[in-house]
Amino acid sequence: MSDKKFNAFEMAQAQFDKVAELIGLDSGTREFLRNPMREYHFSIPVKMDDGTVKVFRGFRVQHNDARGPGKGGIRFHPQETIDTVKALATWMTWKCAVVDIPLGGSKGGVICDPHNLSLKEQEQICRGWVRQIAKDVGPVRDVPAPDVMTNAQHMLWMLDEFETIHGGKYPGIITGKPVGMGGSLGRTEATGYGVIFTLREALKEMNINPDTTTASFQGFGNVAQYAIELYLRLGGKVICVSSWDQEDQTSYTFRRLSGIDLKQLLSITNRFGGIDKVKAKELGYEVLPGEAWIEQEVDILLPCALENQITGENVNKIKKSVKIIAEGANGPTTPEADKIIHERKIFNIPDFLANAGGVTCSYFEQVQSNMNYYWEKDEVLGKLDVKMTAAFLAVSELARKKNLYMRDAAYVISIGRVAQACKDRGWV
Ligand code: NAD
């Protein structure tokens, strides 16, 4: 979203085309899988607090549901585009397939900036979004979830609107709900922890002890915060995080070479994951330009903010010390940068594998909601670890055996599973 020339959907298609060619996918299946099955565009009128009516654009894209109901978050962002939503829906298909959960890929979005909206206005957007799509989503069709700038409260408003329209209780329609209102314990931690479960396995394969490693993070929101928590527990040291500064409309990197203090940074971070730069300085953090996170002398880089962040322009700033890139964000690396990372033999844990913990736990939430029976947190996180570890090992084994780049190996597994489901159903 940060680069106007960048098109996430073209990038998703380029990644798909590369692997479709590699595995010799037939032209019909290729044509079918490189585009979404369905996409919805709609207007959401909202009565603003000042009495005016403002119309917001909303989207839902259902990329593929051959393996099960669609699954994917709803993002609120001022630079949201239909192509970003299409890319994210496509990546959801591959993500559900790589961790082998029986779900397809969807994504939604609204062009809006919650920073400038009251809670009442945001509630109307949520309810309006559901009113537009209520007949085309549901527990056995397509199940939304939170994403950037949406949270459990937004999901609860959406659930309430869906249940009002359909006249019943359908907790399985949406995930990321508050705990006690159909949410799953462990969901908040799931994506960040999932990133670190895969990182832990990668370090094991490379015979590197986590407590000898250092890391730099881009982003300090839900994914990064929990990834940092678990990485610190494994003994790693985080020297850098970055975040978006709403006031200055730019990002900053916060560095402390002796290691950041997670609790302390959380205490000066707003609910959007923005760190207060004045307070950070007072606490002894160096406040550097937003891009500085990528040019640190560390072992591990973790982009956990947005797509299109490691590009042809900045990839060469990555230091020789970097051994692993674990992609917490969706689509953080452009194909141009990816080629260079591959050539430099940096071990990449691709986004749709690394951050699949969120959707895996959402699947657990859906199962619990449909049964109306809820598991303990340890049970959820234990099951998550098993799923993420198995998915990582399957991908890394294939990468080793066939001498494939990790991203390509993950795609070979995912595209193979989805193509097979389409074939088995007699669609292609
Ligand atoms: P979030 O809104 O909680 O946090 C985003 C963070 O990125 C914030 O700290 C924000 O300040 C920062 N940020 C935004 N623009 C930035 C920029 N230009 N430079 C530096 N920092 C910037 O979002 P999140 O839920 O943590 O999601 C982060 C990424 O992970 C997104 O790509 C999202 O699609 C992906 N993801 C999230 C989940 C999930 O469960 N939350 C699951 C899978 C993938």
Side-chain angles (χ1 to χ4, degrees), residues 2 75 77 88 92 95 107 146-150 187-188 190-192 218-225 242-245 250-253 269-275 290-291 293 303-307 309 328-332 351 355-359 362:
S2 57
R75 185 180 278 197
H77 200 282
L88 291 163
M92 285 306 297
K95 197 180 296 193
K107 201 81 184 187
D147 195 77
V148 174
M149 289 202 267
T150 55
R187 176 61 187 89
T188 315
T191 308
Q218 187 191 36
F220 196 59
N222 172 262
V223 178
Q225 290 173 12
S242 69
S243 77
W244 181 253
D245 189 290
T250 188
S251 56
Y252 292 108
T253 298
T269 300
N270 66 23
R271 64 194 165 96
F272 301 106
I275 299 170
E291 280 253 312
W293 75 278
C304 296
L306 289 174
E307 61 271 23
Q309 298 302 309
N330 287 313
D351 51 0
N355 70 33
V359 73
S362 287

Side-chain angles (χ1 to χ4, degrees), residues 17 20-21 89 97 139 179 208 218 224 231 247 264 308 315 318 333 343 352 360 373 375 381 410:
D17 290 342
E21 192 62 37
V179 172
I208 301 173
Q218 187 191 36
Y231 174 67
E247 204 179 289
Q264 191 185 53
N308 187 31
V315 66
I318 296 177
T333 310
E343 281 163 12
F352 66 101
T360 304
Y373 171 71
W375 310 335
L381 294 176

Side-chain angles (χ1 to χ4, degrees), residues 166-276:
H166 289 278
K169 295 294 172 199
Y170 300 96
I173 159 65
I174 207 155
T175 61
K177 301 180 291 294
V179 172
M181 291 298 293
S184 175
L185 291 166
R187 176 61 187 89
T188 315
E189 296 90 340
T191 308
Y193 279 17
V195 173
I196 303 303
F197 291 148
T198 62
L199 174 66
R200 180 195 65 204
E201 295 307 309
L203 288 167
K204 233 186 252 173
E205 277 195 6
M206 296 165 90
N207 279 321
I208 301 173
N209 194 335
D211 63 16
T212 63
T213 63
T214 52
S216 173
F217 279 75
Q218 187 191 36
F220 196 59
N222 172 262
V223 178
Q225 290 173 12
Y226 287 97
I228 291 171
E229 189 218 299
L230 189 57
Y231 174 67
L232 293 177
R233 277 205 267 139
L234 294 181
K237 182 160 90 176
V238 178
I239 65 154
C240 250
V241 298
S242 69
S243 77
W244 181 253
D245 189 290
Q246 182 64 14
E247 204 179 289
D248 296 355
Q249 288 291 300
T250 188
S251 56
Y252 292 108
T253 298
F254 301 86
R255 185 170 75 173
R256 187 149 81 183
L257 292 172
S258 59
I260 65 147
D261 179 332
L262 178 61
K263 260 199 192 144
Q264 191 185 53
L265 270 188
L266 285 173
S267 72
I268 57 164
T269 300
N270 66 23
R271 64 194 165 96
F272 301 106
I275 299 170
D276 185 321

